[in-house]
Amino acid sequence: RPTPTVPATPQTGGTLTFGRAAAVTSFDLNNEITANNAFAIDKVFEPLVSFDTEGALIPWLASGYAVSDDQLVYSFTLRDGLLFSDGTPVTAADAKFSLERHLEVGGPLPLEAPITDISAADDHTLAITLKHAYTPFLSELSGFSNGIFPKDFAGKPEKEFFARPIGTGPWVVQSWDPSGDTTFAANPHYWQAGKPYAASLVYTVVADDTQRIQQLQAGQLSGIEEVAPATISELSANPQVTVSQLGSWAVEQVFFNTRNEHFADRQVRRAVAAALNRDGLTQATTFGAAQTVKTLIPPTIRYSADVKALDNDLAAAKTELAASKYPDGFSATLLIASGDSARAQEAQIIQEALKPLNITVSIEAIELNAFRERFKAFQYDFMLNSGQSDAPDPNGLISFQADPDGFSNSFWTHYTNPKVTALMKAGRVTPDGEERAAIYAEIQQILADDVPYIPLFNTRNVMASTASVHGLTPRINGSVLFQDVWIQR
């Protein structure tokens, strides 16, 4: 049948139903990090600055900003006419309160910048003063955890406020089940005129990736996240489906619990890395939707470096294991989240690759939220997970995955290397350029040698929608803001 004509201008109204892998459990932006919450929080709260599809920083709630010559004072000018979703004006005092609350809370994505003062000169001007220069500051501010909300939580207790949050984002929480679906209504006071186009947005939890695709093809869902790589070609050939892809800040990795008796041994970790064929694993599980990498900083983020890494060398693997405390092998359990067919296949490939080393791998697949609880409690041997940056500067990933004193204890590996810690701190204060590039190159090489985790591949963000849905495209951080998405009716 003929392809329907697409209207020249977006149509308004209708409900977008989006299939997601896990439920939203919290809207407290300063205390959350996982994608199930982060990509709901960013619908409600917005930061002063953001980033475009290439990761370049852009003004957002601030119409502009200026930095003093000594790099110590950052001045932001709020957009004219900004309103919260309850219709009240957004002021610099609100921004001051929001950022100071984040400083007080800390949380999993803390403001690491050495902030000494935040002041509101007037309703539209915010000044942030640093103790010393801090190169990734604007990048840090662009993350979802630095969204702006009303001063004093709009007069409500914190718990009550975050149950029905008020922000500047395109969407307002209408109903929310922490173990099920979340429904958003369009924010009538959104600062981007005429947006969002849809009247409502529903996050529907469909944990299994195959079921998400089936429900999309049946028209039960408007769109889905995390399209299984094996299905991309099939979906792309379906005229009733639109597949959208963009580069990402995510790297699939094997993570080792270095508190585990076996994986505390550096030679054991190096043996595992040498036994894996990263190119083969990437091709077998992603069908060209990802590129092999050997460092946790993906090529989409500045200062990703070429490193020498142990890979696809069984002889080297056996030599490393022979030098370890466990030359005859051992048994270990590989923990993964269920419902992800590609990750299940990765686990099986790793299981087979380690057999020649007499490392017997049991695969344990559990529900996503339970999986997160387990690894955060260090109750795992090794696991498959994805390292995802929330901002375009390498400091975020390095801090999260290599800072033993940080919130995540080096992404729940408990990896500690004083040299890496010192270089990480130097990278924060070194201006962008060759010297900073050299710092991050050295960090990445040390991590490749110590192998607290094995970077496997840089995924692409892949979303799919029905043909009647237009503009559903991923952001480089894996989210979709939905204000530009509309339904043809």
Side-chain angles (χ1 to χ4, degrees):
R1 65 186 186 185
T3 303
T5 302
V6 178
T9 57
Q11 297 176 343
T12 59
T15 297
L16 293 163
T17 306
F18 192 63
R20 302 195 72 209
V24 181
T25 60
S26 171
F27 281 92
D28 186 343
L29 68 170
N30 302 144
N31 280 305
E32 297 302 326
I33 188 170
T34 53
N36 59 314
N37 294 326
F39 299 160
I41 286 167
D42 66 7
K43 308 298 172 288
V44 177
F45 301 110
E46 297 178 307
L48 296 170
V49 294
S50 187
F51 42 82
D52 63 17
T53 55
E54 301 299 319
L57 290 166
I58 54 175
W60 203 248
L61 292 188
S63 58
Y65 52 85
V67 185
S68 63
D69 291 341
D70 60 8
Q71 306 294 301
L72 298 182
V73 181
Y74 290 71
S75 300
F76 300 88
T77 303
L78 296 183
R79 293 183 182 276
D80 291 334
L82 269 183
L83 299 176
F84 284 114
S85 56
D86 64 352
T88 58
V90 179
T91 69
D94 297 308
K96 171 181 166 69
F97 177 82
S98 302
L99 296 177
E100 287 181 340
R101 195 263 183 172
H102 193 187
L103 285 171
E104 179 184 352
V105 167
L109 290 171
L111 273 168
E112 299 275 12
I115 296 173
T116 59
D117 182 68
I118 303 176
S119 60
D122 54 48
D123 284 350
H124 288 85
T125 309
L126 183 79
I128 302 176
T129 303
L130 308 183
K131 183 178 181 180
H132 56 74
Y134 183 84
T135 304
F137 181 47
L138 287 173
S139 174
E140 199 170 86
L141 278 183
S142 72
F144 74 90
S145 60
N146 290 306
I148 305 304
F149 47 89
K151 181 181 178 183
D152 299 324
F153 304 105
K156 300 174 182 176
E158 283 188 37
K159 186 175 181 180
E160 181 181 335
F161 176 81
F162 287 114
R164 294 299 295 269
I166 297 168
T168 64
W171 303 96
V172 181
V173 178
Q174 193 170 52
S175 63
W176 166 42
D177 178 358
S179 60
D181 298 348
T182 301
T183 299
F184 301 89
N187 177 4
H189 304 290
Y190 191 48
W191 58 274
Q192 293 190 37
K195 299 180 183 180
Y197 296 122
S200 58
L201 167 67
V202 180
Y203 275 179
T204 300
V205 178
V206 185
D208 184 81
D209 56 7
T210 302
Q211 290 183 16
R212 285 199 299 275
I213 290 169
Q214 291 173 346
Q215 291 187 27
L216 175 74
Q217 292 175 318
Q220 296 170 286
L221 297 172
S222 306
I224 60 173
E225 66 177 4
E226 299 180 16
V227 174
T231 64
I232 292 174
S233 295
E234 176 190 349
L235 287 176
S236 298
N238 185 343
Q240 302 304 314
V241 174
T242 301
V243 176
S244 299
Q245 301 187 47
L246 187 71
S248 84
W249 290 337
V251 172
E252 183 78 354
Q253 299 172 66
V254 178
F255 290 87
F256 296 106
N257 178 1
T258 64
R259 284 178 166 179
N260 174 276
E261 61 175 332
H262 302 117
F263 297 124
D265 191 316
R266 183 174 183 265
Q267 262 67 45
V268 168
R269 301 195 303 268
R270 287 171 60 83
V272 174
L276 299 186
N277 178 350
R278 299 186 214 208
D279 282 334
L281 184 149
T282 300
Q283 183 57 40
T285 60
T286 71
F287 300 88
Q291 65 180 103
T292 306
V293 296
K294 296 180 181 178
T295 171
L296 76 163
I297 300 178
T300 48
I301 291 182
R302 192 176 188 182
Y303 304 130
S304 177
D306 290 329
V307 299
K308 294 180 180 179
L310 292 155
D311 180 56
N312 194 27
D313 188 338
L314 187 57
K318 290 180 176 179
T319 299
E320 291 288 346
L321 193 66
S324 77
K325 296 178 182 178
Y326 306 97
D328 299 322
F330 55 90
S331 296
T333 299
L334 178 60
L335 186 68
I336 65 172
S338 60
D340 187 323
S341 55
R343 195 163 280 171
Q345 187 180 7
E346 290 170 43
Q348 292 168 2
I349 291 171
I350 293 168
Q351 183 183 53
E352 288 299 314
L354 298 187
K355 282 183 178 179
L357 299 181
N358 200 30
I359 298 176
T360 302
V361 176
S362 300
I363 300 169
E364 183 180 6
I366 59 176
E367 186 272 330
L368 182 57
N369 285 332
F371 168 75
R372 287 169 174 155
E373 290 175 6
R374 279 275 297 277
F375 74 71
K376 288 181 178 180
F378 288 94
Q379 295 175 358
Y380 76 100
D381 298 341
F382 65 144
M383 68 169 172
L384 280 168
N385 209 337
S386 179
Q388 164 73 55
S389 183
D390 294 288
D393 189 273
N395 174 68
L397 277 172
I398 295 298
S399 295
F400 201 75
Q401 290 199 203
D403 186 353
D405 298 320
F407 172 86
S408 70
N409 292 115
S410 300
F411 208 120
W412 296 279
T413 63
H414 228 276
Y415 169 73
T416 303
N417 184 315
K419 177 67 171 176
V420 171
T421 303
L423 287 167
M424 174 186 68
K425 292 177 179 178
R428 295 171 180 168
V429 299
T430 303
D432 279 318
E434 291 184 5
E435 183 180 354
R436 194 166 189 240
I439 288 170
Y440 286 109
E442 185 174 359
I443 290 174
Q444 290 168 80
Q445 187 59 61
I446 294 172
L447 294 175
D449 293 338
D450 284 354
V451 201
Y453 18 78
I454 306 173
L456 299 173
F457 52 80
N458 171 220
T459 58
R460 291 186 66 79
N461 288 316
V462 186
M463 311 285 181
S465 58
T466 60
S468 61
V469 173
H470 300 273
L472 198 159
T473 56
R475 302 184 80 203
I476 196 167
N477 69 338
S479 182
V480 180
L481 294 185
F482 290 103
Q483 67 261 32
D484 297 318
V485 183
W486 58 278
I487 306 167
Q488 183 176 352
R489 299 191 306 282

